[in-house]
Structure formats: C-alpha cells, structure tokens
Amino acid sequence: MAVFSYPGQGKSSAIVPFVNYWLIKTEAAMYSIDDLARDKRVPWTGIRNYQARNFIRDGMKVGDLCLFYHSVAEPGIYGIAKVASKPHADLTAQDKKDEHYDPKSTKENPIWMCVDVQFVKKFKRPVSLVELKAERELGGMLVLAKGSRLSVMPVSERHFKYIVEKLVS
DNA sequence: GCCAACGTTGGC
DNA sequence: GCCAACGTTGGC
C-alpha cells in the first residue's frame, strides 16, 4: 500500500492500493482469453521457472493488473486480467497426474507458487507482437527483448497505460 | 517444421 | 564449480 495525497484537499490523504503491472503468457490452444472470460477466475498454475516464480511470490498483490498475452499462434496481447489472490502454493506441482507435476515439490516445500487471476476484459482487437515491436513508446518492454521466455514478467505503468489507453481505445 | 535462445540436469 | 547434453519456449 502507498499513501497518496490529493492536491486541493489540505492535509487529507487516502490510502489506495498501489498497483503493479504484469504480463502473463499463455498459448491460446492451451488456455486463451476466452477461456478466462468463461471461467471468470482461475488459479494461474503451471509456472515452472524460478524467475517467474519469484515475481509471483515476491511481487504480485491482489488488484495488480496483467496484460494477457498469447504466445506462439498469433502472438500478442488480447486483454486484461487482475490478480485476485495472494500468492499461494501451486498444488498441481504435487499432483502426479498433472502435466506440470514436479517430484521436488512437497507439502513442506511446495517450491512453486501461483495466484488466482480474474478476467477483466478482452480487447476489442488484440495488439499483435508485430504492432508492439513497431511502437517506439514500448521500447524496453521485457516481452520484446530478444530471447525473452519468461511466462510472468513485470510491465511498467507507462507501457501498460500506453497499450490500454492509446493502442486499444 | 525449423532453429535460436534459454534453463535445467548431471557427470566429472 | 564447470560445462555438455538435453528439453522447452516461442518467433518465424
């Protein structure tokens, strides 16, 4: 939480949630923005990369907004999701039948974390990877970096707002 | 389907 | 701790 004071209101101030911004990746064939629109809220499981896990564990807070990115087929940003829970253990890692089962994960040391994500909106039109790359304003976005393979990564407020307020509206 | 770029694993 | 082998990701 961060304290913001509003100009013109003397000494008054208000506590408002401090929002972080993220980009979460998925293959549409596996789980798409339409699937999230249908399900409304799901645990974002299956992240098996330590750097991505650390972003989830150490950075994600309820209310954070996520660009919803489809990789591989027609790559681009398709909408927005919201972090709807605190980070918690990803139990699919302890499920032998799950495709993301990890024998190193135990009840005592779950290793892998996830948050619940909630559907916010699907863009009227997706912002393709080609379009993202063409925007000078978006230079430095992690997802555009060569070799960027993280499935969860932070996004700056400036980049987030440029995409949502300038590119898709 | 190809292949570059990564991350992880395991032998030493 | 090094590093080759291997598996995966993801753009094209």
Side-chain angles (χ1 to χ4, degrees), chain A residues 49-95:
Chain A
N49 170 286
Y50 285 102
Q51 209 178 337
R53 189 280 309 270
N54 293 347
F55 284 136
I56 292 171
R57 185 190 62 191
D58 306 331
M60 281 190 159
K61 301 185 287 35
V62 173
D64 286 359
L65 297 175
C66 306
L67 298 171
F68 198 95
Y69 182 89
H70 289 182
S71 63
V72 182
E74 300 178 75
I77 299 169
Y78 283 71
I80 299 175
K82 188 196 288 193
V83 175
S85 79
K86 291 181 177 177
H88 54 89
D90 179 348
L91 297 178
T92 66
Q94 294 166 49
D95 177 358

Side-chain angles (χ1 to χ4, degrees), chain A residues 30-141:
Chain A
M30 303 299 293
Y31 195 85
S32 72
I33 186 81
D34 293 320
D35 293 322
L36 185 62
R38 178 198 63 219
D39 296 340
K40 303 287 187 248
R41 172 174 171 161
V42 295
W44 200 250
T45 58
I47 307 296
R48 298 292 180 269
N49 170 286
Y50 285 102
Q51 209 178 337
R53 189 280 309 270
N54 293 347
F55 284 136
I56 292 171
R57 185 190 62 191
D58 306 331
M60 281 190 159
K61 301 185 287 35
V62 173
D64 286 359
L65 297 175
C66 306
L67 298 171
F68 198 95
Y69 182 89
H70 289 182
S71 63
V72 182
E74 300 178 75
I77 299 169
Y78 283 71
I80 299 175
K82 188 196 288 193
V83 175
S85 79
K86 291 181 177 177
H88 54 89
D90 179 348
L91 297 178
T92 66
Q94 294 166 49
D95 177 358
K96 283 198 171 81
K97 292 188 290 278
D98 193 276
E99 63 170 322
H100 297 294
Y101 172 65
D102 180 354
K104 295 192 300 300
S105 173
T106 63
K107 215 170 177 181
E108 295 71 30
N109 182 22
I111 304 180
W112 304 113
M113 310 281 290
C114 63
V115 290
D116 294 0
V117 300
Q118 183 180 333
F119 178 76
V120 173
K121 64 148 61 169
K122 179 183 177 179
F123 292 156
K124 290 199 179 75
R125 62 172 193 90
V127 184
S128 72
L129 180 57
V130 169
E131 188 178 353
L132 292 171
K133 283 178 172 170
E135 288 290 336
R136 301 194 58 140
E137 282 287 328
L138 300 179
M141 265 192 96

Side-chain angles (χ1 to χ4, degrees), chain A residues 14-35:
Chain A
I15 307 256
V16 299
F18 189 87
V19 178
N20 288 334
Y21 301 92
W22 308 93
L23 180 145
I24 58 177
K25 268 188 205 172
T26 173
E27 284 192 46
M30 303 299 293
Y31 195 85
S32 72
I33 186 81
D34 293 320
D35 293 322

